[in-house]
Amino acid sequence: MPTIALISPDFDLRPQAPRLRAALPGHRIAVWPEDDVSDAEIALAWEPPQDVLHAMPNLRLLQGVAAGVDNLIDRTRPGPWKICRVVDPQQPASMEQYVLWAVLHFHRHFDVALANQARQAWRREPPKRTADFRIGVMGMGEIGLKVAEGLARRGYPVSGWSRTLKRAEGVRTFDESGYADFLGQLDVLVCLLPLTEQTRGILDRRTFDALPSGSALVHVGRGDHLVPGDLIDALQRGHLRGAVLDVFPKEPLPEGHPLWSTPGVVVTPHMATMADQDAVLEQALVNIRIAFAGSDDFINQVDPARGY
Ligand code: NDP
């Protein structure tokens, strides 16, 4: 009987098991670690231990349950299996809500108002016009491009930066070579990049120093894009005004970590948006059926060498 494995040490994939069983009679749905998954051809996974994957000689498809696939790829030990991610059509809108909230935090001076409240100080900041508050989105993919267009529709001047040049409505776009020009004209930098060998540590001193003094960071990509010490330093020097951070090199952010208490930093627990579980199931089922029909022409396949 063909086997499909669910492998996730932290994020609970068990609720998908009865749904897969109902949709795929005649298949064995095995939940790691309690069930033997060694004969599975397909695995749905979040942060699967690579040893477990390498002990599955029949594995053909590693199906992610999120937009990002950095949790699935081990560049030092690539496997022969294909890797697919979830592209949830609802995610850009819910990411846009989070990013808009974070942009407003700075644009409408809520950061200053909250700091003033802590000192019982009644001070009104001079308003800044929407048309003068410049936002830059790094990563113009399925999510970033729509977030950029959405913010532009609200009247913000928006720029987008990506490896290859993109076209986006109402958005000024830059490719890789335009990094310094992109950064040099922003009030808020929004990171929506995937985590790859090229983007790891990209939110470092060099990037922060290329931003105008008094600008802010909204980080919703992946924790390892950020060099926390460089951010803390840029905030303490007064070069950056503040940061809204949703993702961290180690999650949960450890108790006592300086980012919890650095003035100007807002911490949220990786909650910007999450792939809807119905969308995960639907896309997994499409790929499972493709696999059992003998093809490997899967939807939402990623390039493991490129990392996204
Ligand atoms: P996509 O893969 O669709 O898009 C990635 C974008 O990043 C592309 O525009 C790509 O450029 C660009 N890019 C990749 N590498 C580089 C590089 N070295 N330099 C410049 N640009 C680069 O990703 P999504 O939009 O679906 O998702 C983006 C990320 O958002 C996810 O990987 C994840 O990290 C994060 N995320 C966070 C969530 C949260 O709750 N905090 C939830 C969901 C996603 P090009 O198009 O030219 O290839």
Side-chain angles (χ1 to χ4, degrees), residues 80-218:
W81 48 82
K82 305 279 190 209
I83 299 179
C84 296
R85 69 185 187 125
V86 173
V87 178
D88 174 357
Q90 306 304 320
Q91 259 191 310
S94 91
M95 180 60 87
E96 188 191 337
Q97 290 171 345
Y98 181 100
V99 172
L100 177 63
W101 166 78
V103 164
L104 290 170
H105 180 69
F106 299 111
H107 170 210
R108 296 299 311 275
H109 297 112
F110 291 115
D111 59 337
V112 181
L114 290 170
N116 284 342
Q117 182 183 350
R119 299 182 290 119
Q120 301 194 14
W122 182 276
R123 276 227 324 262
R124 200 156 51 188
E125 292 295 313
K128 188 152 192 175
R129 292 187 333 143
T130 307
D132 293 334
F133 198 74
R134 302 155 305 174
I135 303 167
V137 177
M138 352 167 46
M140 291 283 284
E142 292 287 342
I143 299 177
L145 190 139
K146 294 191 183 101
V147 167
E149 288 184 334
L151 293 167
R153 276 196 299 275
R154 292 176 189 275
Y156 288 105
V158 182
S159 307
W161 179 75
S162 45
R163 198 175 48 82
T164 57
L165 195 65
K166 292 283 171 305
R167 261 178 190 225
E169 212 172 313
V171 179
R172 184 177 173 206
T173 52
F174 295 81
D175 69 8
E176 238 176 346
S177 65
Y179 194 45
D181 292 339
F182 164 73
L183 293 174
Q185 41 95 44
L186 298 179
D187 292 299
V188 171
L189 174 66
V190 179
C191 179
L192 263 165
L193 286 167
L195 181 65
T196 68
E197 285 317 298
Q198 284 69 44
T199 63
R200 185 179 299 277
I202 192 168
L203 299 176
D204 64 356
R205 185 184 177 110
R206 205 178 56 95
T207 290
F208 299 142
D209 284 352
L211 288 167
S213 178
S215 53
L217 172 69
V218 174

Side-chain angles (χ1 to χ4, degrees), residues 270-292:
H270 201 147
M271 57 177 246
T273 176
M274 204 175 131
D276 177 74
Q277 291 310 295
D278 289 346
V280 172
L281 181 72
E282 203 178 290
Q283 291 177 31
L285 284 173
V286 169
N287 277 340
I288 290 167
R289 290 190 173 116
I290 291 171
F292 287 127

